[in-house]
Amino acid sequence: MKRLQLAPSILTADFGRISDEVASVADHVDWFHLDVMDGHYVPNLTFGPSTVEAVRRAVDHPLNVHLMITDPGRFAEMFATAGATRICFHPETVPDPARVIEQIRSLGVGPGLAVHPDVELEPLRGLLTEVDVVLMMTVRPGLGGQRFIPEVLPKIERAREMLQEIGSDADIEVDGGVNLETVDRTVAAGAQIVVAGSAIFDGIDPPAAAARLRSRLDELGAQ
Ligand code: DX5
Ligand code: ZN
């Protein structure tokens, strides 16, 4: 079984001190998850490549850039240059997802598919052999701090089955509303990487919150 990994989303972090914020939790986490929003695919705007560069300078961790934007192929190279290790995009935003996956791979970055709660998994089956990660969303994209959608859990189990059926070693990353209350069910359904935004950057004590989640993942991994 793969080691369970923790990826803080910086969406609810203090952007006035983003370098300090990510550095403060670095000892307890495995990735950073960077949510890019363009105000078209989702009704929110966040940041661009310069923020990815700032995080890249502050920590050595791999960075998963989650593009909640229309036309991800147009911006992939900018995020690759900024330091992305992986780039996930929503397949329904492009006419030919296979081509965008190829384009991301050609940039030396790991491609990933981000699966909106309302998007069916089966039609994506043919793409799963080409990606390094399947990002299963357990909230509607656009905001941090939302309630976990448990109805997505069977879909995460199905994703794990599909990856096994096709012999893919891609990670399953679960994104949205993950905290100490929901992480067990998320891992049981098949999550190997869990994203946590507001559960970590809660404005109280991010390092302690990250450490608690990290130790819960260690306990679950030891079971
Ligand atoms: C939502 C983003 C998620 C979100 C996670 O559109 O893709 O990564 O920031 O934040 P929490 O953990 O607070 O739901
Ligand atoms: Zn995300």
Side-chain angles (χ1 to χ4, degrees):
M1 177 172 160
K2 291 181 182 177
R3 179 176 175 270
L4 298 172
Q5 297 183 311
L6 179 57
S9 154
I10 64 169
L11 191 59
T12 47
D14 176 349
F15 274 78
R17 329 185 294 110
I18 196 64
S19 300
D20 296 342
E21 289 269 79
V22 293
S24 78
V25 302
D27 290 348
H28 310 292
V29 303
D30 306 286
W31 287 79
F32 282 93
H33 180 94
L34 309 177
D35 289 306
V36 177
M37 300 179 191
D38 66 356
H40 296 285
Y41 178 67
V42 289
N44 194 1
L45 274 168
T46 57
F47 50 80
S50 50
T51 301
V52 175
E53 278 171 17
V55 173
R56 174 77 292 143
R57 283 195 301 273
V59 292
D60 297 329
H61 295 58
L63 308 179
N64 187 2
V65 173
H66 176 190
L67 295 181
M68 286 160 278
I69 68 174
T70 53
D71 202 359
R74 187 167 151 227
F75 295 95
E77 186 161 4
M78 289 167 82
F79 285 103
T81 308
T85 311
R86 283 177 171 168
I87 294 176
C88 293
F89 69 98
H90 288 263
E92 68 275 22
T93 61
V94 298
D96 182 358
R99 202 182 57 69
V100 177
I101 290 170
E102 235 172 77
Q103 178 197 0
I104 293 169
R105 179 91 59 204
S106 72
L107 295 166
V109 173
L113 284 178
V115 185
H116 186 291
D118 297 347
V119 168
E120 282 307 306
L121 207 48
E122 304 303 330
L124 303 177
R125 187 190 184 90
L127 297 168
L128 297 183
T129 49
E130 308 308 314
V131 296
D132 291 1
V133 57
V134 180
L135 183 67
M136 300 298 293
M137 291 206 70
T138 39
V139 294
R140 304 184 70 75
L143 282 173
Q146 299 178 81
R147 205 180 60 77
F148 184 84
I149 304 173
E151 291 74 14
V152 177
L153 288 168
K155 199 169 148 190
I156 298 169
E157 288 170 5
R158 183 68 194 120
R160 174 169 54 182
E161 278 165 22
M162 286 169 78
L163 291 174
Q164 281 164 353
E165 283 161 13
I166 61 175
S168 162
D169 190 34
D171 289 327
I172 293 180
E173 182 165 339
V174 176
D175 184 13
V178 178
N179 53 40
L180 285 174
E181 197 277 315
T182 57
V183 67
D184 289 31
R185 285 177 285 165
T186 305
V187 169
Q192 288 141 340
I193 304 174
V194 297
V195 177
S198 50
I200 290 177
F201 293 114
D202 53 6
I204 303 161
D205 188 342
R212 278 194 299 274
L213 263 173
R214 177 66 261 168
S215 65
R216 185 59 191 150
L217 287 173
D218 290 340
E219 287 165 11
L220 291 170
Q223 281 173 0

